[in-house]
Amino acid sequence: MARVKRGVAAKRRHKKVLAQAKGYYGNKSRSFRAANEQLLHSGQYAFRDRRARKGEFRRLWIQRINAATRLHDMSYSRFIAGLNAAGIEVDRKVLADIAVTDAATFTALVEQARAAL
């Protein structure tokens, strides 16, 4: 059996890691060891933050809905309770978009929620 030398595979792997680390600060884009460690951390941050982003958007939507409902003398929690009582199933993403782009429709939703309470 022929002897296997691993230099070609290692060189390929090092080039791949350094290519992925392009743009990183200082040694993290030039040294394989530093770049490899930073890529591992970056992957963990990306994984964590893809999930965290969903909660951040939900918080943003709630703030927008709350601001719009308070213009109609109603709190966010009373508005959501009123929508549930009225049987209106609209998610917070759509409600926030309606609040920003279509004031007349949002006013109608607030009135329906108020009537259901």
Side-chain angles (χ1 to χ4, degrees):
M1 188 179 256
R3 176 174 168 220
V4 175
K5 298 172 85 177
R6 296 169 28 195
V8 175
K11 179 79 169 173
R12 187 181 305 128
R13 195 173 84 249
H14 285 209
K15 279 176 64 177
K16 183 178 164 188
V17 166
L18 288 171
Q20 285 179 310
K22 188 168 243 141
Y24 286 178
Y25 179 79
N27 208 31
K28 293 174 182 179
S29 65
R30 291 188 286 270
S31 159
F32 168 76
R33 184 180 292 182
N36 196 41
E37 189 164 330
Q38 185 57 51
L39 277 176
L40 292 175
H41 283 114
S42 297
Q44 289 175 326
Y45 298 145
F47 182 86
R48 177 196 69 197
D49 293 339
R50 274 194 300 275
R51 280 142 190 80
R53 186 191 312 141
K54 292 158 183 57
E56 289 171 12
F57 268 103
R58 182 182 168 95
R59 282 192 287 277
L60 175 67
W61 299 330
I62 288 171
Q63 287 174 356
R64 287 180 176 173
I65 295 165
N66 191 19
T69 54
R70 288 194 185 274
L71 292 175
H72 296 92
D73 298 322
M74 190 178 228
S75 71
Y76 167 79
S77 60
R78 299 286 294 162
F79 176 64
I80 294 296
L83 288 181
N84 289 334
I88 299 170
E89 292 184 17
V90 183
D91 64 4
R92 285 160 182 82
K93 179 180 178 180
V94 173
L95 280 173
D97 186 50
I98 291 171
V100 171
T101 58
D102 192 3
T105 305
F106 192 78
T107 304
L109 283 171
V110 171
E111 293 307 320
Q112 286 182 321
R114 187 173 278 135
L117 287 175

